[in-house]
């Protein structure tokens, strides 16, 4: 299952684990373990692994997706020992607004996308129904 907003899902699950008393590191590990099918969770797991081994890991698609980079920065601060629960709650609200805005954009595109099968399949079939009798009549008149 693909999530509409993987960072929002990550924030919600990590925030819940922190509220239940887990550390930031264990919350991230629990999130990546529970949602291992999500590509973002896999990247987050790799990021944590590289961070623990002292290497730098920054996928190229994170540069385009600003919310993922912000979430990584927040989690990195939490791993250093800063309290991040309030920051995660504020970031959650921002992510919800962004997800709703993205959903609205997708909904606005939907009528135009649904016209594609109509014009590819139904309109040509309708023209065949209209033109077939005329073509048969023309063929019969030309054959005499």
């Amino acid at each position: 299952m693909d999530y509409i907003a993987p960072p929002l899902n990550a924030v919600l699950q990590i925030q819940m684990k922190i509220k239940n008393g887990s550390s930031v590191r264990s919350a991230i590990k629990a999130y990546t373990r529970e949602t291992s099918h999500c590509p973002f969770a896999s990247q987050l797991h790799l990021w944590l692994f590289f961070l623990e081994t002292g290497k730098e890991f920054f996928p190229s698609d994170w540069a385009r997706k600003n919310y993922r980079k912000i979430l990584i920065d927040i989690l990195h601060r939490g791993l250093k020992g800063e309290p991040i629960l309030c920051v995660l709650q504020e970031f959650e609200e921002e992510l919800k607004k962004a997800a709703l805005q993205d959903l609205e954009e997708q909904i606005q595109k939907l009528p135009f996308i649904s016209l594609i099968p109509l014009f590819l399949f139904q309109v040509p079939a309708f023209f065949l129904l209209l033109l077939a009798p005329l073509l048969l009549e023309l063929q019969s008149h030309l054959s005499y």
Side-chain angles (χ1 to χ4, degrees):
M1 176 174 134
D2 287 338
Y3 294 102
I4 293 175
L8 179 60
N9 184 39
V11 166
L12 290 172
Q13 289 193 22
I14 291 171
Q15 185 179 1
M16 182 182 64
K17 300 281 187 216
I18 292 172
K19 284 181 181 178
N20 287 336
S22 299
S23 67
V24 175
R25 185 177 311 279
S26 63
I28 295 170
K29 286 184 178 182
Y31 165 71
T32 58
R33 187 175 47 252
E34 291 169 2
T35 56
S36 60
H37 58 277
C38 178
F40 178 67
S42 300
Q43 287 179 343
L44 197 60
H45 180 70
L46 279 174
W47 170 78
L48 186 62
F49 174 74
F50 275 75
L51 190 67
E52 288 173 345
T53 57
K55 297 179 183 174
E56 196 169 311
F57 177 74
F58 192 75
S60 60
D61 63 338
W62 284 4
R64 294 175 299 167
K65 299 175 179 173
N66 206 16
Y67 289 112
R68 293 180 184 204
K69 186 177 181 302
I70 294 170
L71 177 61
I72 292 301
D73 291 339
I74 293 170
L75 293 177
H76 189 69
R77 288 189 337 210
L79 289 171
K80 288 180 181 178
E82 293 181 30
I84 61 167
L85 190 58
C86 294
V87 178
L88 282 177
Q89 290 171 344
E90 292 172 4
F91 190 56
E92 174 192 351
E93 294 302 320
E94 188 175 335
L95 283 173
K96 283 181 183 179
K97 289 178 187 175
L100 285 175
Q101 182 180 2
D102 188 40
L103 191 60
E104 286 294 324
E105 290 174 6
Q106 295 295 327
I107 288 172
Q108 289 174 356
K109 292 178 189 177
L110 190 61
F112 300 108
I113 293 172
S114 65
L115 287 176
I116 293 171
L118 176 75
F119 283 112
L120 285 177
F121 301 113
Q122 292 178 347
V123 171
F126 182 70
F127 279 127
L128 281 176
L129 286 174
L130 285 176
L131 294 178
L134 293 174
L135 291 175
L136 290 174
E137 187 70 28
L138 180 67
Q139 183 184 12
S140 67
H141 282 300
L142 290 177
S143 65
Y144 288 122

